[in-house]
Amino acid sequence: MRALLVVNPKATSTNHRTRDVLMRALGAAMDLTVEETGYRGHAAMIAETAHAKGFDAVAVLGGDGTINEAANGLLRGQPSAPASERPTLIVIPGGSANVFARALGLPNNPVEATGAALEALRDGRRRTIGLGEAVWDHDVSHGDAGAVPPTGPHGSRYFTFCAGLGYDAEVVRAVEGLRSAGCKATPALYVKTAINHYFLTDRRRPAMVLERPRQAPQSRIFIAIVSNTAPWTFAGSLPINPTPWAGFETGLDLLALRKMRLSTVVSLVRQIIGERSGLPTGRHLVQAHDEEEFTLSASRPIAFQLDGDYLGERERVLFRSIPDALQVLV
């Protein structure tokens, strides 16, 4: 097997020595070419050319952002091809949360995950998964200079595990600012930022409307979480499960809040921490499961995040489920 290894040298949970060990282990099992990313969006550009260069697989050593870029590159390189004709994605977690890798059932440790990948390679274990896609128009985009450029003609990007509009994206934006100032991305930093930002977000003026085919619009939404799988994220070892029925083999799931009172938020948080099988309950929740397509529109620019990357502010985003998008070695 010819494999291209995309390495983020700034990945949170690896160092130079660890990366050398992993590269030697992978190189012993396959014909390996290594490329390091140098800037935001670079992994997508590298992965996009993988098929044309004859690679059978693209391995990614990095966090959720780098893996998201590689997944986008693989689909962008062969937009109409079935998953079986695209290079297989090999995930080696190197970030702080590693939500996608953990949702696939991979170890959170990069060395152990490499061992699992080599076992899967030896046994020929592959899994075909669906992705989500977010599409927006350029003329309603309010992204900042640091946002990743759109990967489609109308402003579009695929996501592996989640997207969000509103409060959760505001927290992602605030954490990215703290990280750029030198803070380490830890669960404690996210929790602290979420608590602090609750008192800064607009809790009085709901701006969003959910539109689904053949259903009446649902308005007065403050925050919307869109999931392609469960869990949504992790707080250390604890899974956070606002949409526990979401999965890689189904459509998209949604959880939205129509009230931002402290009692409402606390009640929801209590229900979504840990392994869950039942849906959260509450009269201010809006929920959807296994949806092929829906749109979230807003009366003002709203913060937008995708797979934990802040992508600026949007006023209208179309979400679509893309079934059987990628093959993953697991």
Side-chain angles (χ1 to χ4, degrees):
M1 171 184 281
R2 289 193 67 214
L4 173 63
L5 174 61
V6 181
V7 177
N8 179 359
K10 297 181 179 179
T12 306
S13 61
T14 62
N15 53 41
H16 184 74
R17 181 178 296 175
T18 302
R19 291 193 292 272
D20 282 348
V21 170
L22 301 184
M23 285 187 278
R24 283 198 295 269
L26 292 169
M30 59 187 78
D31 181 3
L32 191 69
T33 299
V34 180
E35 290 203 38
E36 289 192 352
T37 60
Y39 49 87
R40 199 171 186 184
H42 194 190
M45 295 178 63
I46 295 171
E48 184 176 0
T49 63
H51 175 74
K53 292 180 178 179
F55 289 105
D56 305 300
V58 172
V60 183
L61 173 55
D64 287 312
T66 308
I67 292 166
N68 172 278
E69 289 184 16
N72 272 271
L74 288 172
L75 268 73
R76 193 167 67 193
Q78 294 174 276
S80 59
S84 59
E85 294 182 10
R86 294 191 177 101
T88 300
L89 180 64
I90 303 174
V91 178
I92 303 172
S96 57
N98 304 312
V99 178
F100 181 56
R102 293 159 84 176
L104 288 170
L106 293 168
N108 194 32
N109 179 283
V111 175
E112 294 179 8
T114 300
L118 293 174
E119 289 179 5
L121 177 65
R122 181 192 64 208
D123 298 339
R125 294 198 308 268
R126 287 174 172 81
R127 178 181 178 183
T128 302
I129 65 168
L131 298 178
E133 184 184 21
V135 182
W136 60 91
D137 294 330
H138 289 310
D139 60 343
V140 297
S141 170
H142 297 267
D144 59 11
V148 174
T151 57
H154 305 294
S156 66
R157 191 165 167 186
Y158 300 100
F159 57 98
T160 61
F161 62 93
C162 82
L165 286 159
Y167 171 60
D168 78 311
E170 294 171 6
V171 173
V172 170
R173 176 175 60 194
V175 169
E176 286 195 3
L178 292 170
R179 291 182 67 181
S180 66
C183 295
K184 186 177 181 180
T186 63
L189 179 65
Y190 277 93
V191 171
K192 181 181 178 181
T193 305
I195 293 171
N196 290 340
H197 202 77
Y198 171 79
F199 298 100
L200 300 175
T201 192
D202 189 337
R203 306 192 304 278
R204 297 181 180 274
R205 299 182 300 148
M208 284 184 282
V209 176
L210 169 65
E211 304 167 59
R212 287 183 282 177
R214 300 175 297 280
Q215 297 193 42
Q218 292 176 277
S219 61
R220 299 186 60 79
I221 290 173
F222 282 96
I223 172 178
I225 293 168
V226 182
S227 298
N228 185 50
T229 190
W232 170 53
T233 189
F234 291 85
S237 61
L238 283 174
I240 311 297
N241 262 309
T243 52
W245 293 356
F248 290 121
E249 287 77 32
T250 62
L252 299 177
D253 283 26
L254 170 83
L255 175 73
L257 266 179
R258 301 178 74 176
K259 292 288 184 182
M260 284 293 288
R261 288 198 296 257
L262 185 59
S263 58
T264 303
V265 174
V266 170
S267 173
L268 176 63
V269 169
R270 286 175 175 169
Q271 295 184 70
I272 66 177
I273 294 178
E275 297 289 346
R276 301 285 173 177
S277 57
L279 296 176
T281 59
R283 59 193 180 95
H284 301 305
L285 302 183
V286 176
Q287 294 168 299
H289 170 61
D290 195 14
E291 296 283 339
E292 293 182 3
E293 178 178 306
F294 55 84
T295 299
L296 286 161
S297 57
S299 58
R300 62 179 185 270
I302 296 292
F304 174 46
Q305 68 87 12
L306 187 148
D307 278 357
D309 262 357
Y310 176 63
L311 294 185
E313 294 181 331
R314 311 291 171 195
E315 291 175 1
R316 185 176 180 87
V317 182
L318 166 69
F319 293 95
R320 289 194 291 236
S321 173
I322 310 297
D324 303 330
L326 284 178
Q327 281 197 338
V328 185
L329 200 66
V330 294

